[in-house]
Amino acid sequence: MLIDSGYTTHAPLTLALLASERGLGGAPLALVANTHCHSDHVGGNAAIVRRYGCPIAVPEAEAPFVRRWDGKALLHDYCDHRVDRFGVDREIAAGSRHVWGDLEWQALAASGHDMSALVFYNAEHGILISGDALWENGFGFVMPPEVDPEALPATRATIEMLAGLDVNVVIPGHGEPFTAAGAAIERARLRLDSFARDSLRIARHALKVNLMFTLLERQRMALADLPAYVERVGLYREFNAMFFRMAPADFAEMLAGELEKSGAARTIDGWLAPARA
Ligand SMILES: [Zn+2]
């Protein structure tokens, strides 16, 4: 079985990895289970179903959004992330237990970054598959209190829930597996403290990671088109109206400038591009 399936644009790579000897080889695939339904975790689902005909399982609370393909609740259209549509075959309830790959896994509620997210925990070996709830250095972006007053408290509660688990290795939704779970939890707490003091910082962080995400997918975006882009795409338009109240051109320039300043992107000849392209 497979947990999370990457970006839709990376679906050919995901299929190649699955088919490789490191993956399934020639074996069938029994199930895809998703920690949550953001575009970078479910983007390969449709292609995998076409290839393997296996069922797709999503967190119970997220299933209605997937069934009606709610581009705002799933942060797909709302953030301008492209995802091939897929269906839901099974719903995973928080607190449920599953035998996957000869191990028993508990599905634990891990709301915050995504309010319906789950993590999967194997107590016998102390393995935590954490999705975007905990990375080695942080966690997935969180909505500011003005957008969702539950998001930050939920993120904190999730981090404290994870702190109470006996974890030997974390397999995160982004980055390499890591063993120092305690240090990662401490870094997550510090980030939460700094977020709690500054809503604008949370808003800027959410915009930056989403713009970087789109930039990585497209590889470049014309600076001249950015003002219209931040007006057209819901996340940028609504966050600007709520937090920044800037003219679109100034807002676009600020976002591009912040990506450049952080070293994630660069501008060349009127284009914004990933720094490591
Ligand atoms: Zn996510």
Side-chain angles (χ1 to χ4, degrees), residues 224-263:
D225 296 340
L226 264 190
Y229 182 83
V230 299
E231 271 292 273
R232 179 171 62 78
V233 178
L235 173 79
Y236 304 97
R237 185 180 61 247
E238 290 183 9
F239 273 46
N240 188 19
M242 213 178 301
F243 298 102
F244 302 96
R245 297 178 200 90
M246 296 169 80
D250 297 335
F251 185 52
E253 194 181 317
M254 178 191 84
L255 292 177
E258 289 199 0
L259 284 190
E260 241 191 322
K261 202 170 64 190
S262 71

PDB file of all heavy atoms in Angstrom, residues 224-263:
ATOM      1  N   ALA A 224       5.312  40.466 -15.107  1.00  0.00           N
ATOM      2  CA  ALA A 224       4.261  41.357 -15.628  1.00  0.00           C
ATOM      3  C   ALA A 224       2.861  40.766 -15.403  1.00  0.00           C
ATOM      4  O   ALA A 224       1.885  41.513 -15.317  1.00  0.00           O
ATOM      5  CB  ALA A 224       4.484  41.618 -17.116  1.00  0.00           C
ATOM      6  N   ASP A 225       2.777  39.435 -15.316  1.00  0.00           N
ATOM      7  CA  ASP A 225       1.465  38.783 -15.110  1.00  0.00           C
ATOM      8  C   ASP A 225       1.083  38.639 -13.643  1.00  0.00           C
ATOM      9  O   ASP A 225      -0.056  38.291 -13.326  1.00  0.00           O
ATOM     10  CB  ASP A 225       1.468  37.374 -15.733  1.00  0.00           C
ATOM     11  CG  ASP A 225       1.643  37.412 -17.241  1.00  0.00           C
ATOM     12  OD1 ASP A 225       1.388  38.483 -17.829  1.00  0.00           O
ATOM     13  OD2 ASP A 225       2.037  36.378 -17.817  1.00  0.00           O
ATOM     14  N   LEU A 226       2.051  38.849 -12.748  1.00  0.00           N
ATOM     15  CA  LEU A 226       1.802  38.573 -11.325  1.00  0.00           C
ATOM     16  C   LEU A 226       0.687  39.421 -10.713  1.00  0.00           C
ATOM     17  O   LEU A 226      -0.118  38.903  -9.936  1.00  0.00           O
ATOM     18  CB  LEU A 226       3.089  38.739 -10.512  1.00  0.00           C
ATOM     19  CG  LEU A 226       3.921  37.501 -10.221  1.00  0.00           C
ATOM     20  CD1 LEU A 226       5.007  37.860  -9.183  1.00  0.00           C
ATOM     21  CD2 LEU A 226       3.096  36.343  -9.700  1.00  0.00           C
ATOM     22  N   PRO A 227       0.606  40.739 -11.039  1.00  0.00           N
ATOM     23  CA  PRO A 227      -0.494  41.528 -10.443  1.00  0.00           C
ATOM     24  C   PRO A 227      -1.874  40.958 -10.782  1.00  0.00           C
ATOM     25  O   PRO A 227      -2.723  40.830  -9.898  1.00  0.00           O
ATOM     26  CB  PRO A 227      -0.300  42.926 -11.051  1.00  0.00           C
ATOM     27  CG  PRO A 227       1.164  42.996 -11.336  1.00  0.00           C
ATOM     28  CD  PRO A 227       1.539  41.602 -11.786  1.00  0.00           C
ATOM     29  N   ALA A 228      -2.084  40.539 -12.032  1.00  0.00           N
ATOM     30  CA  ALA A 228      -3.372  39.948 -12.417  1.00  0.00           C
ATOM     31  C   ALA A 228      -3.556  38.599 -11.720  1.00  0.00           C
ATOM     32  O   ALA A 228      -4.662  38.242 -11.312  1.00  0.00           O
ATOM     33  CB  ALA A 228      -3.445  39.779 -13.936  1.00  0.00           C
ATOM     34  N   TYR A 229      -2.447  37.876 -11.560  1.00  0.00           N
ATOM     35  CA  TYR A 229      -2.501  36.557 -10.911  1.00  0.00           C
ATOM     36  C   TYR A 229      -2.973  36.675  -9.455  1.00  0.00           C
ATOM     37  O   TYR A 229      -3.864  35.942  -9.015  1.00  0.00           O
ATOM     38  CB  TYR A 229      -1.119  35.906 -10.979  1.00  0.00           C
ATOM     39  CG  TYR A 229      -1.057  34.522 -10.385  1.00  0.00           C
ATOM     40  CD1 TYR A 229      -1.446  33.413 -11.126  1.00  0.00           C
ATOM     41  CD2 TYR A 229      -0.623  34.326  -9.070  1.00  0.00           C
ATOM     42  CE1 TYR A 229      -1.415  32.144 -10.580  1.00  0.00           C
ATOM     43  CE2 TYR A 229      -0.581  33.061  -8.524  1.00  0.00           C
ATOM     44  CZ  TYR A 229      -0.980  31.972  -9.271  1.00  0.00           C
ATOM     45  OH  TYR A 229      -0.951  30.720  -8.725  1.00  0.00           O
ATOM     46  N   VAL A 230      -2.391  37.627  -8.718  1.00  0.00           N
ATOM     47  CA  VAL A 230      -2.764  37.759  -7.299  1.00  0.00           C
ATOM     48  C   VAL A 230      -4.170  38.333  -7.135  1.00  0.00           C
ATOM     49  O   VAL A 230      -4.762  38.239  -6.061  1.00  0.00           O
ATOM     50  CB  VAL A 230      -1.736  38.597  -6.480  1.00  0.00           C
ATOM     51  CG1 VAL A 230      -0.379  37.928  -6.503  1.00  0.00           C
ATOM     52  CG2 VAL A 230      -1.660  40.046  -6.955  1.00  0.00           C
ATOM     53  N   GLU A 231      -4.719  38.910  -8.188  1.00  0.00           N
ATOM     54  CA  GLU A 231      -6.110  39.350  -8.177  1.00  0.00           C
ATOM     55  C   GLU A 231      -7.052  38.193  -8.493  1.00  0.00           C
ATOM     56  O   GLU A 231      -8.174  38.123  -8.011  1.00  0.00           O
ATOM     57  CB  GLU A 231      -6.325  40.450  -9.234  1.00  0.00           C
ATOM     58  CG  GLU A 231      -6.075  41.838  -8.723  1.00  0.00           C
ATOM     59  CD  GLU A 231      -7.114  42.273  -7.699  1.00  0.00           C
ATOM     60  OE1 GLU A 231      -8.168  42.792  -8.106  1.00  0.00           O
ATOM     61  OE2 GLU A 231      -6.855  42.073  -6.501  1.00  0.00           O
ATOM     62  N   ARG A 232      -6.601  37.279  -9.350  1.00  0.00           N
ATOM     63  CA  ARG A 232      -7.451  36.211  -9.852  1.00  0.00           C
ATOM     64  C   ARG A 232      -7.564  35.039  -8.866  1.00  0.00           C
ATOM     65  O   ARG A 232      -8.629  34.467  -8.687  1.00  0.00           O
ATOM     66  CB  ARG A 232      -6.879  35.703 -11.191  1.00  0.00           C
ATOM     67  CG  ARG A 232      -7.661  34.561 -11.837  1.00  0.00           C
ATOM     68  CD  ARG A 232      -7.160  34.288 -13.252  1.00  0.00           C
ATOM     69  NE  ARG A 232      -5.763  33.856 -13.303  1.00  0.00           N
ATOM     70  CZ  ARG A 232      -5.336  32.626 -13.010  1.00  0.00           C
ATOM     71  NH1 ARG A 232      -6.197  31.706 -12.629  1.00  0.00           N
ATOM     72  NH2 ARG A 232      -4.057  32.316 -13.104  1.00  0.00           N
ATOM     73  N   VAL A 233      -6.448  34.686  -8.220  1.00  0.00           N
ATOM     74  CA  VAL A 233      -6.426  33.477  -7.381  1.00  0.00           C
ATOM     75  C   VAL A 233      -6.904  33.826  -5.963  1.00  0.00           C
ATOM     76  O   VAL A 233      -6.386  34.740  -5.321  1.00  0.00           O
ATOM     77  CB  VAL A 233      -5.013  32.864  -7.352  1.00  0.00           C
ATOM     78  CG1 VAL A 233      -4.976  31.634  -6.452  1.00  0.00           C
ATOM     79  CG2 VAL A 233      -4.564  32.517  -8.771  1.00  0.00           C
ATOM     80  N   GLY A 234      -7.904  33.058  -5.503  1.00  0.00           N
ATOM     81  CA  GLY A 234      -8.610  33.368  -4.258  1.00  0.00           C
ATOM     82  C   GLY A 234      -7.725  33.617  -3.050  1.00  0.00           C
ATOM     83  O   GLY A 234      -7.915  34.591  -2.323  1.00  0.00           O
ATOM     84  N   LEU A 235      -6.759  32.735  -2.827  1.00  0.00           N
ATOM     85  CA  LEU A 235      -5.898  32.863  -1.645  1.00  0.00           C
ATOM     86  C   LEU A 235      -5.246  34.240  -1.585  1.00  0.00           C
ATOM     87  O   LEU A 235      -5.283  34.908  -0.556  1.00  0.00           O
ATOM     88  CB  LEU A 235      -4.809  31.779  -1.684  1.00  0.00           C
ATOM     89  CG  LEU A 235      -3.736  31.882  -0.599  1.00  0.00           C
ATOM     90  CD1 LEU A 235      -4.250  31.341   0.729  1.00  0.00           C
ATOM     91  CD2 LEU A 235      -2.471  31.116  -1.010  1.00  0.00           C
ATOM     92  N   TYR A 236      -4.662  34.685  -2.710  1.00  0.00           N
ATOM     93  CA  TYR A 236      -3.919  35.950  -2.726  1.00  0.00           C
ATOM     94  C   TYR A 236      -4.877  37.139  -2.635  1.00  0.00           C
ATOM     95  O   TYR A 236      -4.649  38.089  -1.905  1.00  0.00           O
ATOM     96  CB  TYR A 236      -3.047  36.040  -3.983  1.00  0.00           C
ATOM     97  CG  TYR A 236      -2.111  34.860  -4.111  1.00  0.00           C
ATOM     98  CD1 TYR A 236      -2.439  33.769  -4.910  1.00  0.00           C
ATOM     99  CD2 TYR A 236      -0.925  34.820  -3.387  1.00  0.00           C
ATOM    100  CE1 TYR A 236      -1.607  32.667  -4.999  1.00  0.00           C
ATOM    101  CE2 TYR A 236      -0.080  33.718  -3.474  1.00  0.00           C
ATOM    102  CZ  TYR A 236      -0.428  32.648  -4.282  1.00  0.00           C
ATOM    103  OH  TYR A 236       0.395  31.557  -4.353  1.00  0.00           O
ATOM    104  N   ARG A 237      -5.976  37.044  -3.406  1.00  0.00           N
ATOM    105  CA  ARG A 237      -6.951  38.146  -3.411  1.00  0.00           C
ATOM    106  C   ARG A 237      -7.537  38.344  -2.010  1.00  0.00           C
ATOM    107  O   ARG A 237      -7.564  39.451  -1.487  1.00  0.00           O
ATOM    108  CB  ARG A 237      -8.061  37.850  -4.421  1.00  0.00           C
ATOM    109  CG  ARG A 237      -9.056  38.985  -4.603  1.00  0.00           C
ATOM    110  CD  ARG A 237     -10.137  38.649  -5.625  1.00  0.00           C
ATOM    111  NE  ARG A 237     -10.925  37.483  -5.206  1.00  0.00           N
ATOM    112  CZ  ARG A 237     -10.929  36.306  -5.831  1.00  0.00           C
ATOM    113  NH1 ARG A 237     -10.212  36.122  -6.923  1.00  0.00           N
ATOM    114  NH2 ARG A 237     -11.664  35.309  -5.373  1.00  0.00           N
ATOM    115  N   GLU A 238      -7.945  37.229  -1.373  1.00  0.00           N
ATOM    116  CA  GLU A 238      -8.601  37.349  -0.063  1.00  0.00           C
ATOM    117  C   GLU A 238      -7.611  37.735   1.034  1.00  0.00           C
ATOM    118  O   GLU A 238      -7.935  38.531   1.916  1.00  0.00           O
ATOM    119  CB  GLU A 238      -9.321  36.036   0.284  1.00  0.00           C
ATOM    120  CG  GLU A 238     -10.537  35.819  -0.603  1.00  0.00           C
ATOM    121  CD  GLU A 238     -11.329  34.564  -0.234  1.00  0.00           C
ATOM    122  OE1 GLU A 238     -11.034  33.945   0.815  1.00  0.00           O
ATOM    123  OE2 GLU A 238     -12.239  34.216  -1.001  1.00  0.00           O
ATOM    124  N   PHE A 239      -6.411  37.181   0.992  1.00  0.00           N
ATOM    125  CA  PHE A 239      -5.420  37.549   2.009  1.00  0.00           C
ATOM    126  C   PHE A 239      -4.999  39.008   1.849  1.00  0.00           C
ATOM    127  O   PHE A 239      -4.790  39.705   2.832  1.00  0.00           O
ATOM    128  CB  PHE A 239      -4.194  36.631   1.936  1.00  0.00           C
ATOM    129  CG  PHE A 239      -4.334  35.367   2.738  1.00  0.00           C
ATOM    130  CD1 PHE A 239      -5.487  34.607   2.665  1.00  0.00           C
ATOM    131  CD2 PHE A 239      -3.308  34.941   3.573  1.00  0.00           C
ATOM    132  CE1 PHE A 239      -5.624  33.429   3.402  1.00  0.00           C
ATOM    133  CE2 PHE A 239      -3.430  33.778   4.319  1.00  0.00           C
ATOM    134  CZ  PHE A 239      -4.582  33.026   4.234  1.00  0.00           C
ATOM    135  N   ASN A 240      -4.893  39.470   0.621  1.00  0.00           N
ATOM    136  CA  ASN A 240      -4.544  40.875   0.417  1.00  0.00           C
ATOM    137  C   ASN A 240      -5.644  41.771   0.986  1.00  0.00           C
ATOM    138  O   ASN A 240      -5.365  42.724   1.713  1.00  0.00           O
ATOM    139  CB  ASN A 240      -4.324  41.167  -1.074  1.00  0.00           C
ATOM    140  CG  ASN A 240      -3.780  42.575  -1.307  1.00  0.00           C
ATOM    141  OD1 ASN A 240      -3.239  43.201  -0.383  1.00  0.00           O
ATOM    142  ND2 ASN A 240      -3.932  43.080  -2.522  1.00  0.00           N
ATOM    143  N   ALA A 241      -6.899  41.433   0.684  1.00  0.00           N
ATOM    144  CA  ALA A 241      -8.016  42.241   1.181  1.00  0.00           C
ATOM    145  C   ALA A 241      -8.063  42.237   2.708  1.00  0.00           C
ATOM    146  O   ALA A 241      -8.378  43.240   3.337  1.00  0.00           O
ATOM    147  CB  ALA A 241      -9.328  41.711   0.610  1.00  0.00           C
ATOM    148  N   MET A 242      -7.700  41.099   3.300  1.00  0.00           N
ATOM    149  CA  MET A 242      -7.827  40.949   4.745  1.00  0.00           C
ATOM    150  C   MET A 242      -6.652  41.530   5.518  1.00  0.00           C
ATOM    151  O   MET A 242      -6.814  42.126   6.570  1.00  0.00           O
ATOM    152  CB  MET A 242      -7.946  39.449   5.056  1.00  0.00           C
ATOM    153  CG  MET A 242      -8.814  39.121   6.239  1.00  0.00           C
ATOM    154  SD  MET A 242      -8.933  37.333   6.477  1.00  0.00           S
ATOM    155  CE  MET A 242      -9.628  36.781   4.940  1.00  0.00           C
ATOM    156  N   PHE A 243      -5.440  41.351   4.984  1.00  0.00           N
ATOM    157  CA  PHE A 243      -4.251  41.666   5.777  1.00  0.00           C
ATOM    158  C   PHE A 243      -3.412  42.826   5.232  1.00  0.00           C
ATOM    159  O   PHE A 243      -2.753  43.514   5.993  1.00  0.00           O
ATOM    160  CB  PHE A 243      -3.334  40.442   5.889  1.00  0.00           C
ATOM    161  CG  PHE A 243      -3.958  39.287   6.579  1.00  0.00           C
ATOM    162  CD1 PHE A 243      -4.451  38.211   5.863  1.00  0.00           C
ATOM    163  CD2 PHE A 243      -4.077  39.277   7.965  1.00  0.00           C
ATOM    164  CE1 PHE A 243      -5.040  37.132   6.502  1.00  0.00           C
ATOM    165  CE2 PHE A 243      -4.669  38.208   8.613  1.00  0.00           C
ATOM    166  CZ  PHE A 243      -5.151  37.142   7.885  1.00  0.00           C
ATOM    167  N   PHE A 244      -3.356  42.994   3.931  1.00  0.00           N
ATOM    168  CA  PHE A 244      -2.352  43.901   3.376  1.00  0.00           C
ATOM    169  C   PHE A 244      -2.960  45.156   2.751  1.00  0.00           C
ATOM    170  O   PHE A 244      -2.394  46.229   2.841  1.00  0.00           O
ATOM    171  CB  PHE A 244      -1.473  43.161   2.356  1.00  0.00           C
ATOM    172  CG  PHE A 244      -0.784  41.968   2.944  1.00  0.00           C
ATOM    173  CD1 PHE A 244      -1.328  40.686   2.821  1.00  0.00           C
ATOM    174  CD2 PHE A 244       0.398  42.107   3.660  1.00  0.00           C
ATOM    175  CE1 PHE A 244      -0.705  39.582   3.379  1.00  0.00           C
ATOM    176  CE2 PHE A 244       1.026  41.013   4.226  1.00  0.00           C
ATOM    177  CZ  PHE A 244       0.473  39.739   4.091  1.00  0.00           C
ATOM    178  N   ARG A 245      -4.084  44.991   2.086  1.00  0.00           N
ATOM    179  CA  ARG A 245      -4.810  46.097   1.430  1.00  0.00           C
ATOM    180  C   ARG A 245      -3.873  46.911   0.526  1.00  0.00           C
ATOM    181  O   ARG A 245      -3.791  48.119   0.605  1.00  0.00           O
ATOM    182  CB  ARG A 245      -5.476  46.999   2.478  1.00  0.00           C
ATOM    183  CG  ARG A 245      -6.519  46.236   3.280  1.00  0.00           C
ATOM    184  CD  ARG A 245      -7.177  47.077   4.368  1.00  0.00           C
ATOM    185  NE  ARG A 245      -7.789  46.229   5.369  1.00  0.00           N
ATOM    186  CZ  ARG A 245      -7.182  45.780   6.474  1.00  0.00           C
ATOM    187  NH1 ARG A 245      -5.936  46.154   6.734  1.00  0.00           N
ATOM    188  NH2 ARG A 245      -7.790  44.982   7.318  1.00  0.00           N
ATOM    189  N   MET A 246      -3.132  46.203  -0.306  1.00  0.00           N
ATOM    190  CA  MET A 246      -2.194  46.852  -1.221  1.00  0.00           C
ATOM    191  C   MET A 246      -2.751  46.807  -2.639  1.00  0.00           C
ATOM    192  O   MET A 246      -3.571  45.941  -2.975  1.00  0.00           O
ATOM    193  CB  MET A 246      -0.842  46.117  -1.195  1.00  0.00           C
ATOM    194  CG  MET A 246      -0.146  46.187   0.162  1.00  0.00           C
ATOM    195  SD  MET A 246       1.271  45.048   0.274  1.00  0.00           S
ATOM    196  CE  MET A 246       2.514  45.993  -0.596  1.00  0.00           C
ATOM    197  N   ALA A 247      -2.266  47.721  -3.491  1.00  0.00           N
ATOM    198  CA  ALA A 247      -2.583  47.628  -4.924  1.00  0.00           C
ATOM    199  C   ALA A 247      -1.980  46.320  -5.423  1.00  0.00           C
ATOM    200  O   ALA A 247      -0.904  45.917  -4.972  1.00  0.00           O
ATOM    201  CB  ALA A 247      -1.981  48.806  -5.667  1.00  0.00           C
ATOM    202  N   PRO A 248      -2.676  45.621  -6.352  1.00  0.00           N
ATOM    203  CA  PRO A 248      -2.171  44.317  -6.830  1.00  0.00           C
ATOM    204  C   PRO A 248      -0.711  44.341  -7.268  1.00  0.00           C
ATOM    205  O   PRO A 248       0.044  43.417  -6.974  1.00  0.00           O
ATOM    206  CB  PRO A 248      -3.103  43.988  -7.996  1.00  0.00           C
ATOM    207  CG  PRO A 248      -4.373  44.697  -7.666  1.00  0.00           C
ATOM    208  CD  PRO A 248      -3.972  45.959  -6.946  1.00  0.00           C
ATOM    209  N   ALA A 249      -0.313  45.414  -7.963  1.00  0.00           N
ATOM    210  CA  ALA A 249       1.071  45.479  -8.448  1.00  0.00           C
ATOM    211  C   ALA A 249       2.050  45.527  -7.280  1.00  0.00           C
ATOM    212  O   ALA A 249       3.091  44.850  -7.295  1.00  0.00           O
ATOM    213  CB  ALA A 249       1.256  46.699  -9.354  1.00  0.00           C
ATOM    214  N   ASP A 250       1.708  46.304  -6.249  1.00  0.00           N
ATOM    215  CA  ASP A 250       2.596  46.396  -5.081  1.00  0.00           C
ATOM    216  C   ASP A 250       2.621  45.085  -4.302  1.00  0.00           C
ATOM    217  O   ASP A 250       3.667  44.650  -3.809  1.00  0.00           O
ATOM    218  CB  ASP A 250       2.131  47.531  -4.145  1.00  0.00           C
ATOM    219  CG  ASP A 250       2.214  48.895  -4.820  1.00  0.00           C
ATOM    220  OD1 ASP A 250       3.024  49.028  -5.759  1.00  0.00           O
ATOM    221  OD2 ASP A 250       1.458  49.798  -4.424  1.00  0.00           O
ATOM    222  N   PHE A 251       1.448  44.468  -4.211  1.00  0.00           N
ATOM    223  CA  PHE A 251       1.332  43.193  -3.490  1.00  0.00           C
ATOM    224  C   PHE A 251       2.164  42.113  -4.188  1.00  0.00           C
ATOM    225  O   PHE A 251       2.927  41.372  -3.550  1.00  0.00           O
ATOM    226  CB  PHE A 251      -0.154  42.816  -3.441  1.00  0.00           C
ATOM    227  CG  PHE A 251      -0.475  41.589  -2.646  1.00  0.00           C
ATOM    228  CD1 PHE A 251      -0.035  41.434  -1.338  1.00  0.00           C
ATOM    229  CD2 PHE A 251      -1.259  40.582  -3.204  1.00  0.00           C
ATOM    230  CE1 PHE A 251      -0.359  40.300  -0.606  1.00  0.00           C
ATOM    231  CE2 PHE A 251      -1.579  39.449  -2.478  1.00  0.00           C
ATOM    232  CZ  PHE A 251      -1.120  39.305  -1.180  1.00  0.00           C
ATOM    233  N   ALA A 252       2.036  42.056  -5.517  1.00  0.00           N
ATOM    234  CA  ALA A 252       2.806  41.082  -6.301  1.00  0.00           C
ATOM    235  C   ALA A 252       4.299  41.332  -6.134  1.00  0.00           C
ATOM    236  O   ALA A 252       5.091  40.392  -5.974  1.00  0.00           O
ATOM    237  CB  ALA A 252       2.408  41.165  -7.780  1.00  0.00           C
ATOM    238  N   GLU A 253       4.677  42.596  -6.153  1.00  0.00           N
ATOM    239  CA  GLU A 253       6.099  42.938  -6.015  1.00  0.00           C
ATOM    240  C   GLU A 253       6.622  42.537  -4.634  1.00  0.00           C
ATOM    241  O   GLU A 253       7.727  42.015  -4.505  1.00  0.00           O
ATOM    242  CB  GLU A 253       6.274  44.450  -6.242  1.00  0.00           C
ATOM    243  CG  GLU A 253       7.713  44.855  -6.465  1.00  0.00           C
ATOM    244  CD  GLU A 253       7.840  46.369  -6.671  1.00  0.00           C
ATOM    245  OE1 GLU A 253       7.019  46.955  -7.409  1.00  0.00           O
ATOM    246  OE2 GLU A 253       8.759  46.954  -6.057  1.00  0.00           O
ATOM    247  N   MET A 254       5.776  42.744  -3.613  1.00  0.00           N
ATOM    248  CA  MET A 254       6.181  42.363  -2.257  1.00  0.00           C
ATOM    249  C   MET A 254       6.401  40.849  -2.166  1.00  0.00           C
ATOM    250  O   MET A 254       7.412  40.390  -1.631  1.00  0.00           O
ATOM    251  CB  MET A 254       5.108  42.784  -1.253  1.00  0.00           C
ATOM    252  CG  MET A 254       5.437  42.368   0.177  1.00  0.00           C
ATOM    253  SD  MET A 254       4.053  42.578   1.321  1.00  0.00           S
ATOM    254  CE  MET A 254       3.150  41.041   1.055  1.00  0.00           C
ATOM    255  N   LEU A 255       5.471  40.074  -2.725  1.00  0.00           N
ATOM    256  CA  LEU A 255       5.587  38.607  -2.635  1.00  0.00           C
ATOM    257  C   LEU A 255       6.812  38.096  -3.382  1.00  0.00           C
ATOM    258  O   LEU A 255       7.578  37.272  -2.872  1.00  0.00           O
ATOM    259  CB  LEU A 255       4.320  37.934  -3.183  1.00  0.00           C
ATOM    260  CG  LEU A 255       3.045  38.134  -2.356  1.00  0.00           C
ATOM    261  CD1 LEU A 255       1.861  37.491  -3.053  1.00  0.00           C
ATOM    262  CD2 LEU A 255       3.217  37.557  -0.957  1.00  0.00           C
ATOM    263  N   ALA A 256       7.001  38.625  -4.592  1.00  0.00           N
ATOM    264  CA  ALA A 256       8.172  38.207  -5.370  1.00  0.00           C
ATOM    265  C   ALA A 256       9.452  38.596  -4.632  1.00  0.00           C
ATOM    266  O   ALA A 256      10.411  37.821  -4.563  1.00  0.00           O
ATOM    267  CB  ALA A 256       8.135  38.838  -6.759  1.00  0.00           C
ATOM    268  N   GLY A 257       9.443  39.803  -4.049  1.00  0.00           N
ATOM    269  CA  GLY A 257      10.607  40.284  -3.302  1.00  0.00           C
ATOM    270  C   GLY A 257      10.911  39.397  -2.101  1.00  0.00           C
ATOM    271  O   GLY A 257      12.074  39.106  -1.803  1.00  0.00           O
ATOM    272  N   GLU A 258       9.857  38.949  -1.425  1.00  0.00           N
ATOM    273  CA  GLU A 258      10.084  38.096  -0.241  1.00  0.00           C
ATOM    274  C   GLU A 258      10.637  36.728  -0.632  1.00  0.00           C
ATOM    275  O   GLU A 258      11.483  36.180   0.073  1.00  0.00           O
ATOM    276  CB  GLU A 258       8.787  37.949   0.556  1.00  0.00           C
ATOM    277  CG  GLU A 258       8.424  39.248   1.249  1.00  0.00           C
ATOM    278  CD  GLU A 258       7.443  39.064   2.393  1.00  0.00           C
ATOM    279  OE1 GLU A 258       7.047  37.915   2.644  1.00  0.00           O
ATOM    280  OE2 GLU A 258       7.093  40.081   3.003  1.00  0.00           O
ATOM    281  N   LEU A 259      10.159  36.203  -1.752  1.00  0.00           N
ATOM    282  CA  LEU A 259      10.707  34.911  -2.209  1.00  0.00           C
ATOM    283  C   LEU A 259      12.179  35.060  -2.576  1.00  0.00           C
ATOM    284  O   LEU A 259      12.998  34.178  -2.317  1.00  0.00           O
ATOM    285  CB  LEU A 259       9.928  34.378  -3.420  1.00  0.00           C
ATOM    286  CG  LEU A 259       8.557  33.774  -3.179  1.00  0.00           C
ATOM    287  CD1 LEU A 259       8.061  33.083  -4.443  1.00  0.00           C
ATOM    288  CD2 LEU A 259       8.577  32.773  -2.032  1.00  0.00           C
ATOM    289  N   GLU A 260      12.505  36.206  -3.185  1.00  0.00           N
ATOM    290  CA  GLU A 260      13.900  36.451  -3.568  1.00  0.00           C
ATOM    291  C   GLU A 260      14.771  36.619  -2.329  1.00  0.00           C
ATOM    292  O   GLU A 260      15.848  36.040  -2.228  1.00  0.00           O
ATOM    293  CB  GLU A 260      13.970  37.713  -4.431  1.00  0.00           C
ATOM    294  CG  GLU A 260      14.510  37.436  -5.812  1.00  0.00           C
ATOM    295  CD  GLU A 260      14.822  38.708  -6.575  1.00  0.00           C
ATOM    296  OE1 GLU A 260      14.057  39.688  -6.455  1.00  0.00           O
ATOM    297  OE2 GLU A 260      15.830  38.700  -7.289  1.00  0.00           O
ATOM    298  N   LYS A 261      14.264  37.404  -1.389  1.00  0.00           N
ATOM    299  CA  LYS A 261      15.023  37.687  -0.167  1.00  0.00           C
ATOM    300  C   LYS A 261      15.307  36.409   0.613  1.00  0.00           C
ATOM    301  O   LYS A 261      16.369  36.243   1.204  1.00  0.00           O
ATOM    302  CB  LYS A 261      14.218  38.682   0.695  1.00  0.00           C
ATOM    303  CG  LYS A 261      15.046  39.460   1.685  1.00  0.00           C
ATOM    304  CD  LYS A 261      14.226  40.592   2.309  1.00  0.00           C
ATOM    305  CE  LYS A 261      13.070  40.021   3.124  1.00  0.00           C
ATOM    306  NZ  LYS A 261      12.094  41.020   3.566  1.00  0.00           N
ATOM    307  N   SER A 262      14.350  35.485   0.600  1.00  0.00           N
ATOM    308  CA  SER A 262      14.534  34.237   1.349  1.00  0.00           C
ATOM    309  C   SER A 262      15.464  33.262   0.622  1.00  0.00           C
ATOM    310  O   SER A 262      15.824  32.219   1.163  1.00  0.00           O
ATOM    311  CB  SER A 262      13.182  33.562   1.573  1.00  0.00           C
ATOM    312  OG  SER A 262      12.691  33.053   0.346  1.00  0.00           O
ATOM    313  N   GLY A 263      15.835  33.620  -0.620  1.00  0.00           N
ATOM    314  CA  GLY A 263      16.745  32.757  -1.380  1.00  0.00           C
ATOM    315  C   GLY A 263      16.040  31.637  -2.128  1.00  0.00           C
ATOM    316  O   GLY A 263      16.684  30.810  -2.767  1.00  0.00           O
TER     317      GLY A 263
END
